[in-house]
Amino acid sequence: MRVAVIAFDGITPFHVAAPCAVFGTVPEGQAPVFDVRVCSADAMPLRTAAGFSIATEYDLSLLEAADIVIMAAWHDDCRSAPSVLLDALRRAHQRGARIVGLCLGAFPLAEAGLLDGRTATTHWAFADGLVQRYPKVKVDAEVLYVDDGDVLTSAGVAAGLDCCLHLLRQVAGAELANSVARRLLVAPHRQGGQAQFIERPLPVSNSEGRFAQVLDWMAGHLGDEQSIDALAARAAMSRRNFTRHFRQVTGTSVKQWLLSQRLAQAQRMLEGSDAAIEVVAQEAGFGTALSLRQHFQTSLRTSPSAYRKQFRAQGAAG
């Protein structure tokens, strides 16, 4: 798959490096899945915010054949984008490419009209500006990233990694995403609905170790019924304290955290085993095949059978 990362004069190096690292990392013993190239509408070389320059031989014509187009942030003053960039983004979207706006990269996407009527996010400090300039966009300033199908947006710097890993998981599978995350030493999956920043109370209490053990137990028993009351008792907390502490630590609810973990487990089983869909549903904690199919359709916009077929076909092609 062809990935075009759009850079610009004055970019912070990490913003362009993050998508290149996620989609350009090839785990040992595996064949490359992506052809990642950086392009720009600006004259070369591109100055960076770190005092050095970068150069690329590609201009925006690279977008004409890209499967994924990533707008790697934007200027801190949120200036209007040049018409050549806006037109290239619109054409790529109309052609069927998946468009990604990392951090302030949501601003050019919004200016191009690609976020009209959609939910999107950006760095929390610039969310009000996005709302004021583009009232047709439904801005959620509290989440890490938003996947709206063919258009994705993310919050700040680290959330860009999360968004790219989420997209990698979707198009290339959970195993590859986990392998890349291990190479990069980052969390393999953080749910998009997780808070952009988590207020952690200080000092850390002695219960933190016990709470971490409960999280580990939950991840290792996804096929079991996990009621909040039972989990709170395991953590030696009241239900109220447990749910509050869970959100403070993970940035999301117990229900959403479990759903994310169960979807990831189902993906791994579909990719790496011949287990029947009913067995996958049971072991991943969905209970029934119908429930698994419903959650797959909602979260991944495909069915478990189609997902398995897709990655078997990719493996045969590799």
Side-chain angles (χ1 to χ4, degrees):
M1 299 184 69
R2 292 160 291 193
V3 179
V5 180
I6 304 173
F8 53 87
D9 193 51
I11 193 169
T12 298
F14 185 86
H15 285 302
V16 68
C20 291
V22 171
F23 292 100
T25 296
V26 181
E28 186 176 354
Q30 299 188 33
V33 177
F34 301 96
D35 177 9
V36 184
R37 303 184 186 188
V38 176
C39 63
S40 179
D42 297 334
M44 294 295 119
L46 301 176
R47 295 167 296 178
T48 72
F52 63 87
S53 299
I54 58 177
T56 176
E57 59 187 281
Y58 302 106
D59 58 21
L60 295 182
S61 63
L62 193 67
L63 274 62
E64 296 174 4
D67 301 293
I68 298 172
V69 173
I70 300 177
M71 187 72 235
W74 191 237
H75 299 277
D76 288 348
D77 59 7
C78 303
R79 68 189 67 172
S80 294
S83 58
V84 62
L85 173 58
L86 299 177
D87 290 341
L89 288 170
R90 293 186 188 108
R91 288 195 302 270
H93 181 252
Q94 291 170 356
R95 184 177 50 78
R98 192 169 289 190
I99 311 296
V100 183
L102 302 179
C103 196
L104 299 187
F107 279 81
L109 269 60
E111 189 174 359
L114 302 187
L115 300 181
D116 287 356
R118 298 176 183 264
T119 299
T121 193
T122 189
H123 191 290
W124 62 268
F126 295 84
D128 287 344
L130 188 62
V131 171
Q132 293 168 8
R133 287 178 57 178
Y134 306 105
K136 294 182 180 180
V137 182
K138 304 171 186 176
V139 179
D140 187 343
E142 297 185 354
V143 298
L144 291 177
Y145 56 87
V146 174
D147 181 350
D148 201 53
D150 55 350
V151 178
L152 295 86
T153 50
S154 80
V157 176
L161 279 171
D162 293 318
C163 183
C164 289
L165 282 168
H166 164 78
L167 183 54
L168 177 64
R169 179 180 295 270
Q170 277 199 337
V171 300
E175 286 302 322
L176 179 59
N178 290 344
S179 295
V180 170
R182 283 195 296 270
R183 290 286 296 273
L184 299 179
L185 293 178
V186 296
H189 180 64
R190 289 202 296 172
Q191 188 178 7
Q194 184 168 320
Q196 287 195 19
F197 56 92
I198 302 171
E199 300 289 352
R200 287 187 61 97
L202 294 175
V204 177
S205 69
N206 292 331
S207 65
E208 289 296 326
R210 184 166 58 244
F211 187 84
Q213 292 175 0
V214 173
L215 285 178
D216 289 341
W217 185 90
M218 292 170 67
H221 295 79
L222 295 174
D224 297 349
E225 182 178 351
Q226 300 193 22
S227 71
I228 294 179
D229 288 333
L231 294 171
R234 183 176 288 273
M237 295 179 177
S238 69
R239 178 189 176 98
R240 180 180 179 182
N241 284 341
F242 178 79
T243 55
R244 177 177 55 82
H245 194 68
F246 194 97
R247 184 172 289 276
Q248 287 176 336
V249 171
T250 68
T252 189
S253 67
V254 175
K255 180 180 178 180
Q256 290 301 317
W257 189 88
L258 278 172
L259 175 59
S260 175
Q261 297 293 318
R262 284 168 170 163
L263 281 171
Q265 175 64 14
Q267 286 178 281
R268 288 191 290 268
M269 291 185 67
L270 290 168
E271 293 171 28
S273 77
D274 295 318
I277 301 300
E278 291 76 9
V279 174
V280 174
Q282 285 285 340
E283 294 191 8
F286 289 98
T288 67
L290 176 60
S291 178
L292 175 61
R293 293 187 183 98
Q294 289 173 338
H295 284 293
F296 246 67
Q297 188 61 47
T298 299
S299 300
L300 303 176
R301 295 178 176 84
T302 188
S303 68
S305 297
Y307 184 89
R308 170 176 276 167
K309 183 177 180 181
Q310 173 190 353
F311 287 100
R312 293 294 170 85
Q314 287 183 356

